[in-house]
Amino acid sequence: MFTKTGNSFLAPEHYADRIGTALRNELGSTHQASKTLMRWTNANERTVKNWLAGASGPRGEHLVALVRHSDAVLVAFLMMANRQHALTTIELPRLRQKLQSAIDGIDAYLDENIRP
């Protein structure tokens, strides 16, 4: 049997701060942000305000619900888990869309400005 000793890999305050920062960046820190989080997670208002403030982090099923609804929380979670390579999968559809828009813009410019 092993005793529980040593430090955890991520201090609880760092976890709470990173999740809070991700939520504020995506939703802001307004009352509407709290309402949105309450709707997403079925957590009470005090709890979601603590998440937004970075005073405490979501546990268990609340974290799963946040990741389901928030790309920012998913990114923060993957970064904390040192799984940056998994972010590529998330970013590829957005990158493809941006590239397609750039190609469409180039084609439109060339069609208007360069006539054979």
Side-chain angles (χ1 to χ4, degrees), residues 75-90:
V75 168
F77 178 78
L78 290 172
M79 295 294 285
M80 287 184 280
N82 200 24
R83 300 290 302 257
Q84 294 86 341
H85 62 279
L87 295 173
T88 303
T89 305
I90 297 167

Side-chain angles (χ1 to χ4, degrees), residues 29-66:
S29 55
T30 65
H31 183 67
Q32 186 60 42
S34 296
K35 292 284 194 180
T36 299
L37 291 170
M38 290 167 58
R39 194 171 45 255
W40 286 355
T41 63
N42 203 29
N44 69 47
E45 186 173 10
R46 181 78 256 148
T47 298
V48 299
K49 284 184 177 184
N50 284 332
W51 297 343
L52 284 167
S56 64
R59 307 282 191 262
E61 68 275 6
H62 291 146
L63 179 60
V64 171
L66 289 173

